[in-house]
């Protein structure tokens, strides 16, 4: 595996999950694999779980780790071609990327959607430039349109807790005070479809996601109806995808908050969220603190998804 940006990069998904569960049973079985190898983690945006879990995963594999907060610990980087660089960005990404590649063996990149241009966001220009110019295996630690490490961890978590081979999984929009990218819901839908689960996506009208990610999932505008018989409920906010409202908040309807009454409509479903979560906007205290909440085991599996990906990237060197 030379890169990791989406579910297709893993190949056989069942084999990948089995490998992840094997790693979880013994995190230190492959410490020699990363010996004298260096991971460079680049953050264009803030992070908690991704930073800690990926660094821990690399350490489990015996790797050295370097972490760079691009907007704080380095020159400001220009990302566009053809720009006269007479502003506050003294270095271009096209020089910085191959230089970074000289100092490491594997590169992880985290760069969110800017909501300035839908085309630029969905072309994943920053991530794709690292893949093209670094000369190193590159993996996404969340990009403008996807968060595959999170979705891999979500899949592992569902596989550990499902009671039926093909569970009903509901991805529900929930209100939030800020405009958030579609990266997590895009990836979640993509991975649930790839796993062959019964996926239902529910949201207010106007919040339709890119059909390239939702695929054949059922779209339901009635949240309560969507919850009926669900085995897993995954709550997440996202801003509008469709033009002309790309990146905008169209609703903050608190009736979409996940509460105990809605969870009672399910098949005793597990509650999931990628964190951080806005309590009593996305989900009530009662639900997230309840016995059917998987948010902590889900976050713990971020280490496992990252280690599985890093192991495969190292094996390709």
């Amino acid at each position: 595996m030379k890169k990791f940006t989406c579910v297709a990069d893993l190949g056989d998904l069942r084999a990948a999950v089995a490998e992840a569960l094997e790693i979880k049973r013994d995190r230190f079985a492959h410490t020699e694999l990363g010996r004298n190898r260096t991971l460079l983690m680049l953050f264009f945006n803030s992070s908690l779980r991704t930073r800690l879990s990926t660094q821990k995963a690399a350490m489990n594999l015996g790797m050295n780790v370097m972490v760079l907060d691009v907007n704080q610990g380095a020159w400001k980087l220009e990302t566009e071609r053809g720009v006269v660089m007479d502003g506050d960005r003294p270095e271009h990404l096209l020089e910085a990327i191959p230089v970074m590649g000289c100092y490491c063996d594997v590169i992880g990149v985290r760069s969110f959607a800017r909501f300035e241009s839908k085309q630029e966001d969905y072309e994943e220009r920053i991530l794709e430039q690292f893949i093209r110019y670094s000369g190193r295996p590159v993996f996404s630690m969340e990009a403008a349109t996807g968060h595959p490490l999170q979705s891999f961890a979500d899949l592992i978590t569902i596989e550990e807790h499902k009671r039926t081979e093909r569970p009903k999984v509901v991805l529900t929009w929930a209100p939030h005070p800020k405009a958030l990218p579609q990266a997590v819901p895009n990836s979640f839908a993509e991975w649930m479809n790839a796993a062959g689960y019964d996926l239902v996506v529910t949201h207010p009208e106007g919040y339709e996601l890119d059909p390239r990610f939702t695929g054949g999932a059922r779209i339901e505008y009635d949240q309560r109806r969507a919850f009926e018989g669900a085995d897993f409920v995954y709550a997440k906010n996202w801003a509008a995808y469709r033009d002309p409202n790309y990146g905008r908040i169209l609703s903050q309807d608190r009736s979409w908050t996940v509460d105990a009454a809605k969870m009672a409509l399910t098949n005793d479903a597990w509650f999931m969220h990628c964190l951080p979560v806005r309590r009593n906007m996305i989900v009530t205290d009662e639900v997230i603190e309840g016995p059917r909440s998987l948010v902590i085991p889900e976050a713990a599996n971020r280490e496992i998804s990252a280690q599985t990906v890093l192991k495969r990237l190292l094996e390709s060197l």
Side-chain angles (χ1 to χ4, degrees):
M1 191 166 73
K2 297 293 186 182
K3 68 178 181 67
F4 178 71
T5 64
C6 64
V7 67
D9 291 329
L10 282 184
D12 186 327
L13 198 52
R14 287 184 179 273
V17 171
E19 184 177 354
L21 293 175
E22 182 181 340
I23 286 170
K24 189 170 183 176
R25 285 188 288 270
D26 185 357
R27 289 168 169 82
F28 305 105
H30 305 282
T31 53
E32 289 300 311
L33 188 61
R35 186 179 180 86
N36 296 326
R37 299 288 191 178
T38 298
L39 168 65
L40 173 59
M41 299 167 60
L42 293 160
F43 291 90
F44 289 83
N45 302 95
S46 58
S47 172
L48 189 154
R49 274 150 297 279
T50 298
R51 181 187 297 252
L52 296 179
S53 63
T54 308
Q55 188 166 355
K56 178 62 164 59
M59 293 165 63
N60 292 349
L61 291 168
M63 299 186 77
N64 302 310
V65 182
M66 298 189 296
V67 180
L68 180 62
D69 290 295
V70 175
N71 294 321
Q72 298 178 14
W75 302 111
K76 289 186 178 180
L77 298 176
E78 180 57 62
T79 60
E80 299 301 319
R81 290 179 178 273
V83 174
V84 177
M85 292 175 57
D86 59 355
D88 65 345
R89 298 179 179 182
E91 185 162 9
H92 202 286
L93 203 60
L94 292 181
E95 284 80 60
I97 289 173
V99 167
M100 294 176 195
C102 294
Y103 305 144
C104 64
D105 300 284
V106 179
I107 298 177
V109 180
R110 183 175 177 94
S111 179
F112 293 174
R114 298 179 180 181
F115 285 152
E116 295 173 359
S117 165
K118 179 178 175 179
Q119 180 179 347
E120 289 184 13
D121 286 344
Y122 273 72
E123 287 177 355
E124 294 286 11
R125 291 188 181 179
I126 291 179
L127 180 62
E128 288 298 324
Q129 286 185 85
F130 274 93
I131 293 171
R132 183 173 180 181
Y133 298 114
S134 69
R136 300 290 183 233
V138 173
F139 66 99
S140 170
M141 299 192 299
E142 188 171 1
T145 66
H147 196 349
L149 285 177
Q150 177 64 53
S151 296
F152 191 9
D154 297 334
L155 176 61
I156 294 166
T157 307
I158 291 174
E159 284 293 304
E160 289 178 312
H161 291 85
K162 70 181 186 180
R163 295 165 294 189
T164 181
E165 185 61 26
R166 189 171 185 261
K168 179 180 178 180
V169 179
V170 176
L171 170 61
T172 180
W173 179 93
H176 195 281
K178 295 182 178 180
L180 298 185
Q182 298 95 28
V184 170
N186 280 347
S187 273
F188 185 77
E190 178 186 51
W191 284 68
M192 297 302 104
N193 281 329
Y197 297 155
D198 178 13
L199 176 64
V200 178
V201 182
T202 184
H203 52 72
E205 293 193 38
Y207 279 102
E208 293 77 11
L209 294 165
D210 186 337
R212 290 178 294 176
F213 296 99
T214 55
R218 178 161 62 91
I219 309 301
E220 175 59 70
Y221 298 108
D222 184 330
Q223 187 188 37
R224 295 179 68 86
R225 184 181 301 168
F227 275 41
E228 293 175 358
D231 298 296
F232 294 86
V233 170
Y234 197 102
K236 187 70 180 75
N237 175 268
W238 61 88
Y241 164 73
R242 289 182 174 177
D243 294 328
N245 295 314
Y246 177 68
R248 296 181 183 176
I249 295 174
L250 304 181
S251 171
Q252 290 185 331
D253 184 354
R254 299 290 181 88
S255 72
W256 281 78
T257 299
V258 178
D259 58 20
K262 291 173 188 168
M263 293 298 290
L265 300 171
T266 71
N267 182 27
D268 197 21
W270 296 99
F271 174 80
M272 302 179 70
H273 188 279
C274 62
L275 302 181
V277 66
R278 299 273 183 153
R279 284 178 175 234
N280 301 306
M281 285 203 73
I282 299 289
V283 59
T284 61
D285 292 334
E286 182 180 10
V287 171
I288 197 170
E289 294 177 12
R292 303 298 287 176
S293 174
L294 287 178
V295 296
I296 304 305
E298 184 183 357
N301 276 333
R302 289 295 307 279
E303 176 186 347
I304 306 306
S305 65
Q307 188 166 337
T308 307
V309 168
L310 282 169
K311 175 178 176 288
R312 291 190 170 198
L313 293 172
L314 286 169
E315 289 170 342
S316 74
L317 294 174

